[in-house]
Amino acid sequence: MSPECRGERQEALHSAGSLARDKHFGKTAFVRAVVEVSNFCREDCSYCAMRRSNRSLARRRLDPEKIFDWIAAACPPTVTDINIQSGEDPVAVREVILPLIALLKARTGYGISVCPGTLDPKISRELKDAGADFYVIKLETADERHYAEIRAPGNFAERLATIRQLAADGWLVSSGFILGVPGEPADAAQRALGLLSELPLAGASVSPFIPGPETPLAGNPPGNLEDVLNCVALMRLANPRRIIPAVSAMELGSPGTYARALSAGANLATINLTPAVFRDEYPIYTQDRLIMDEERVLSAISAAGLTPSRTGISEFLRNF
Ligand code: 5AD
């Protein structure tokens, strides 16, 4: 089945994706909360509004104790894992992320995932020693020339090597791609699916391209949501035991798409817990992005006929 299929073939693909998820994980979705802790970024990716050339953005790092207090007060009970996200900002790793992990480990039972970009191996090891165990690092695109053209971090070979190294160091690694970034080859989806399938990953994702404000790619059309949903199902069928998220960028294009991703085989939903004051300054994917709060996430999960998992991601994977 191809990423472009529609009609009956598409319905059959999504049902097959959903069944494959049920077989390995049951009719459940993991629920994590994301906190975005720094919007400083040393990269300059042409698709991302957090790129360092975006001078219109007020840059800020949050205080680890304040974020911890916020999580303790505001995190809904269904959440089992906290995803700490930031721009590629080694200063934030030291000043915010490491202390926040220490607080979470000492005082809560949450599983911890991080999405800090490419770091010096010494500092990623510190993150792991502190108690994080799930590392999110996207490929963005599977085409080396396209990777360079959109100015994704470092270079393609290095990104692949980093993913492999993190997995070898004992991380549960999740990677993924953006579908519909201008300039991608015609077979971008097939190639990304093929490459992700071969990498040593615990998780995989696909997100539609959202044209970001204040970026060289602003004004381009967004990625095709039907193709994105098909990629979710194809990923599930290729690697049925992976953690595959529904992502908020899907819902932005057309309400209901988030639930459809869960109905096509995704098994992870994310509640956005970034304090509202900081949210607008954290512009992936666009300044008025749709916020997936607890209510939206729980209703998408039930619309897909699922229930929130009582087990956390890493706890589950350890016993898989
Ligand atoms: N559209 C879709 N995804 C994007 N990201 C950044 N900019 C965009 C965009 N315009 C994603 C990238 C990055 C993650 C943190 O956000 O995949 O790795």
Side-chain angles (χ1 to χ4, degrees):
M1 217 98 59
S2 93
E4 290 86 30
C5 68
R6 296 291 186 271
E8 278 175 25
R9 291 171 76 87
Q10 184 179 27
E11 277 171 37
L13 173 62
H14 292 199
S15 308
S18 188
L19 277 175
R21 185 260 332 279
D22 294 352
K23 185 166 167 223
H24 295 274
F25 294 91
K27 292 188 92 56
T28 62
F30 294 102
V31 181
R32 69 179 171 187
V34 64
V35 283
E36 293 146 330
V37 301
S38 164
N39 64 355
F40 281 89
C41 190
R42 62 181 176 181
E43 297 291 348
D44 209 23
C45 311
S46 61
Y47 47 90
C48 184
M50 218 156 56
R51 65 203 307 267
R52 66 166 192 269
S53 296
N54 182 358
R55 299 279 139 93
S56 72
L57 204 62
R59 306 283 174 164
R60 203 140 53 111
R61 297 183 183 102
L62 299 186
D63 175 83
E65 308 230 330
K66 286 201 185 123
I67 313 167
F68 176 80
D69 291 345
W70 168 255
I71 293 170
C75 197
T78 37
V79 168
T80 55
D81 294 76
I82 303 288
N83 182 28
I84 306 170
Q85 177 138 14
S86 71
E88 193 171 291
D89 177 15
V91 176
V93 176
R94 178 126 345 265
E95 293 181 357
V96 187
I97 301 179
L98 280 165
L100 177 59
I101 294 173
L103 286 166
L104 288 166
K105 274 285 149 191
R107 301 193 207 159
T108 74
Y110 291 123
I112 296 168
S113 40
V114 290
C115 183
T118 310
L119 301 173
D120 187 306
K122 204 177 130 284
I123 201 162
S124 25
R125 263 173 228 132
E126 280 186 58
L127 286 170
K128 188 150 186 304
D129 292 343
D133 50 18
F134 200 88
Y135 200 116
V136 182
I137 178 162
K138 311 279 183 78
L139 273 179
E140 317 292 25
T141 174
D143 184 78
E144 185 160 16
R145 177 202 50 79
H146 189 227
Y147 191 96
E149 199 176 284
I150 62 177
R151 297 161 78 175
N155 63 56
F156 187 66
E158 199 179 279
R159 194 75 161 181
L160 287 177
T162 304
I163 290 169
R164 293 202 164 94
Q165 187 57 52
L166 289 166
D169 285 347
W171 285 95
L172 299 165
V173 183
S174 181
S175 191
F177 66 105
I178 311 175
L179 191 62
V181 181
E184 73 186 13
D187 59 352
Q190 289 288 14
R191 285 174 52 190
L193 291 170
L195 180 52
L196 287 172
S197 176
E198 285 160 22
L199 287 168
L201 301 175
S205 71
V206 53
S207 171
F209 167 67
I210 305 291
E214 310 287 337
T215 67
L217 299 179
N220 283 283
N224 185 295
L225 288 176
E226 298 304 320
D227 294 354
V228 165
L229 289 170
N230 293 347
C231 287
V232 167
L234 289 165
M235 275 176 174
R236 170 61 65 209
L237 293 172
N239 305 87
R241 290 160 75 92
R242 284 186 179 171
I243 305 291
I244 301 176
V247 304
S248 60
M250 297 169 173
E251 193 72 357
L252 197 65
S254 167
T257 312
Y258 197 90
R260 287 181 67 204
L262 294 168
S263 297
N267 66 337
L268 170 62
T270 308
I271 294 174
N272 191 306
L273 210 65
T274 303
V277 288
F278 188 51
R279 240 179 237 155
D280 293 344
E281 293 165 8
Y282 200 94
I284 60 164
Y285 312 96
T286 146
Q287 251 141 4
D288 49 19
R289 92 186 137 124
L290 187 129
I291 299 302
M292 290 306 290
D293 58 13
E294 181 187 19
E295 191 181 332
R296 286 199 173 108
V297 162
L298 295 182
S299 69
I301 289 174
S302 69
L306 306 178
T307 53
S309 169
R310 278 184 294 169
T311 319
I313 299 170
S314 13
E315 195 185 340
F316 186 94
L317 293 181
R318 267 199 303 274
N319 305 310
F320 211 4

